[in-house]
Amino acid sequence: MKRLIQLRVNGELYEVAVHPHWTLLEVLREELDLTGAKKGCDAGDCGGCTVILDGKPVFSCLTLAVEADGRDILTIEGLAQNGQLHPIQNAFVEHGAIQCGFCTPGMIMSAKALLDENPNPTEEEVRQAIAGNLCRCTGYVKIVEAILAASQGGG
Amino acid sequence: MGLPKFEYLRPKTIQEACSLLSQYGDKARVMAGGTDLLVKMKDRAVTPQYLIGLSGIPNLDYIEADAEGLRIGALATIKSIIDSSVIQERFRLLADAASKMATVQVRNMGTIGGNLCNAAPSADSAPPLICLGAKAKLVGPKGERVIALEEFFTGPGETVLKAGEILTEVQVPNQPAHTGGAYQKISRVAVDLAVVGVAALVTLEGKDGLCSEARITLGAVAPTPIRAKRAEGVLKGKKIEDGLVEEAGRVASEEARPITDVRGSVYYRTEMVRVLTERAIRQALE
């Protein structure tokens, strides 16, 4: 039996009927058409599904939709405001931190969560913060540079 | 492939959770953060028909210090353990190990109760807690009991939990003055399980700074986390110097019983027990 849940995603309230075995990732992508979060490994290893739940970055592929009921979710789609990219998004573009783009939404959510908690991270802290986000294209250097630049108000 | 179908139950109290668990027996599993269980379910390694979500039970995630020591609710996340100022000040070893677990995302979701009950031989929270002399409170339909964590694990993925029992609290006694601890971990990549984990806790006493207490617990090198009691004996009652630390490392590596698996060989793990035990003792002394 489906259960009716309420999700506050990017500031908007959604009411969705979900099966208990649906993950938050599946509901975001398939019920809400928010396909920014990616189903990479679907097992909590790649970080492509990273969203911010009640202020903390989590793997949405390992979060049951029913357990996200009533909670606040921020996805990549919620970062740009009035057509303007978020400084972290800008920094990624400016620093060439995006190649295929598949890891990017998850990577940026982890970066945002880091900078919200620690506005002036060291390089080591940036690397630790994105340790749960795999990138097969870039080798991470530009990603780390972009995040450090964003933290310094650049980007 | 996604998760297999199940019915989701969300009890509001521990008693309700225990009674649901007893009622459905083998067909049910409890879930805290889900970071271990849901992965196993996606692999179809476990397929419960009923999932009992514990996150609806209020006040299970506390970290409280009192006159006797620390009490940690089973649903305290790994992140909350890292951030806890009382743990950082008085039980630093535990915060140290917690900060080395998995990824940011898993540390936000995963819980201390889940890490212990999942009972991987490599569980990072176990060696530190065993060194600290921690106990676990288990609540079941017939009442509660408190077990030393050292006796909690019976094999890979196996614990003394009986049908219907849920681990609700971890109790850590206060440590004597001049006690220091450290957790050393080696893994293939930063976010991986431990290939070898070593926790060391030492207490120094008197103006000579003799070691009055030494506890060394090894993870990922036996079916469960194990105390390296002979290595501890090398240090106890003596003034700890380089030669002694090296000997403790050697003895600890003899006490380890690792297997060869995808993460490391018997030879490598045995050698790393020696190295990490030395490093853990030295760091604990600091």
Side-chain angles (χ1 to χ4, degrees):
Chain A
M1 285 288 293
K2 282 187 181 181
R3 193 186 285 219
L4 208 60
I5 64 169
Q6 293 200 327
L7 302 173
R8 203 171 315 114
V9 187
N10 303 327
E12 261 189 68
L13 200 57
Y14 295 87
E15 214 173 40
V16 203
V18 301
H19 281 296
H21 66 278
W22 285 1
T23 62
L24 176 61
L25 177 65
E26 287 160 349
V27 170
L28 288 170
R29 290 183 58 80
E30 292 162 41
E31 298 299 305
L32 304 185
D33 274 340
L34 295 170
T35 54
K38 305 297 184 214
K39 192 179 262 195
C41 69
D42 206 22
D45 285 325
C46 76
C49 70
T50 304
V51 299
I52 297 182
L53 179 63
D54 286 345
K56 300 195 166 81
V58 298
F59 291 141
S60 60
C61 73
L62 294 184
T63 304
L64 295 179
V66 293
E67 290 204 337
D69 187 12
R71 297 166 78 179
D72 255 299
I73 296 147
L74 188 64
T75 70
I76 191 74
E77 291 91 347
L79 285 198
Q81 296 292 327
N82 302 322
Q84 296 261 32
L85 289 182
H86 188 280
I88 300 175
Q89 290 174 301
N90 250 328
F92 269 58
V93 172
E94 297 295 319
H95 289 263
I98 306 166
Q99 288 188 30
C100 81
F102 200 80
C103 75
T104 307
M107 201 58 89
I108 290 181
M109 298 324 285
S110 287
K112 170 149 188 10
L114 169 69
L115 297 184
D116 284 348
E117 188 180 305
N118 179 0
N120 243 313
T122 61
E123 183 181 322
E124 179 60 29
E125 284 167 333
V126 171
R127 286 179 178 273
Q128 286 292 332
I130 61 170
N133 294 80
L134 300 182
C135 173
R136 298 292 280 124
C137 297
T138 66
Y140 303 100
V141 174
K142 305 254 181 232
I143 292 175
V144 173
E145 280 175 15
I147 298 171
L148 285 170
S151 76
Q152 270 134 43
Chain B
M1 198 173 25
L3 285 166
K5 289 191 185 167
F6 55 84
E7 251 192 72
Y8 177 75
L9 306 164
R10 197 169 169 81
K12 303 241 178 33
T13 65
I14 276 288
Q15 287 69 28
E16 203 187 326
C18 288
S19 106
L20 287 170
L21 194 54
S22 302
Q23 181 185 349
Y24 291 113
D26 283 339
K27 298 200 193 121
R29 294 289 287 251
V30 293
M31 183 175 110
T35 55
D36 280 317
L37 182 65
L38 293 182
V39 177
K40 289 182 182 166
M41 285 171 66
K42 289 189 190 203
D43 281 341
R44 303 299 189 269
V46 311
T47 47
Q49 290 176 275
Y50 300 92
L51 211 62
I52 302 169
L54 297 176
S55 60
I57 302 174
N59 306 321
L60 251 195
D61 58 356
Y62 52 87
I63 299 175
E64 271 159 24
D66 61 29
E68 272 128 52
L70 195 66
R71 287 180 306 112
I72 310 175
L75 253 60
T77 61
I78 304 306
K79 169 82 168 142
S80 70
I81 287 173
I82 296 168
D83 287 349
S84 155
S85 48
V86 63
I87 294 181
Q88 282 174 16
E89 278 156 29
R90 288 163 45 192
F91 304 92
R92 170 144 237 135
L93 169 59
L94 183 57
D96 202 14
S99 69
K100 293 177 168 142
M101 284 175 72
T103 59
V104 169
Q105 295 93 326
V106 167
R107 296 195 291 265
N108 282 330
M109 303 161 75
T111 64
I112 187 90
N115 189 234
L116 294 172
C117 294
N118 185 57
S122 55
D124 292 306
S125 69
L129 286 171
I130 290 174
C131 281
L132 290 165
K135 299 194 166 111
K137 181 157 93 170
L138 313 178
V139 176
K142 299 205 183 104
E144 17 180 279
R145 54 189 181 125
V146 178
I147 300 270
L149 212 52
E150 201 175 324
E151 279 139 42
F152 180 69
F153 305 100
T154 57
E158 285 160 26
T159 68
V160 299
L161 282 168
K162 296 206 180 89
E165 268 187 330
I166 297 175
L167 187 156
T168 60
E169 182 178 271
V170 176
Q171 301 165 351
V172 188
N174 279 327
Q175 303 297 305
H178 304 294
T179 297
Y183 180 67
Q184 287 279 334
K185 169 182 177 176
I186 209 159
S187 54
R188 293 177 299 172
V189 290
V191 303
D192 200 7
L193 301 187
V195 174
V196 175
V198 178
L201 193 71
V202 255
T203 306
L204 303 180
E205 230 172 62
K207 55 180 169 60
D208 295 325
L210 293 185
C211 170
S212 58
E213 187 59 71
R215 299 227 186 88
I216 300 170
T217 306
L218 313 177
V221 291
T224 67
I226 54 170
R227 290 264 301 275
K229 292 189 178 167
R230 287 198 294 121
E232 292 171 3
V234 169
L235 301 176
K236 271 203 256 223
K238 314 220 184 69
K239 181 146 174 69
I240 303 184
E241 278 154 351
D242 275 346
L244 218 58
V245 175
E246 281 159 25
E247 200 196 325
R250 260 196 314 275
V251 173
S253 71
E254 285 163 21
E255 295 185 80
R257 309 181 316 258
I259 58 168
T260 291
D261 72 7
V262 62
R263 291 187 175 86
S265 66
V266 170
Y267 169 73
Y268 181 69
R269 290 174 131 132
T270 307
E271 183 58 16
M272 283 300 114
V273 168
R274 184 184 67 75
V275 172
L276 294 191
T277 301
E278 277 189 41
R279 287 187 193 166
I281 296 169
R282 292 208 168 93
Q283 201 187 337
L285 288 170
E286 281 166 33

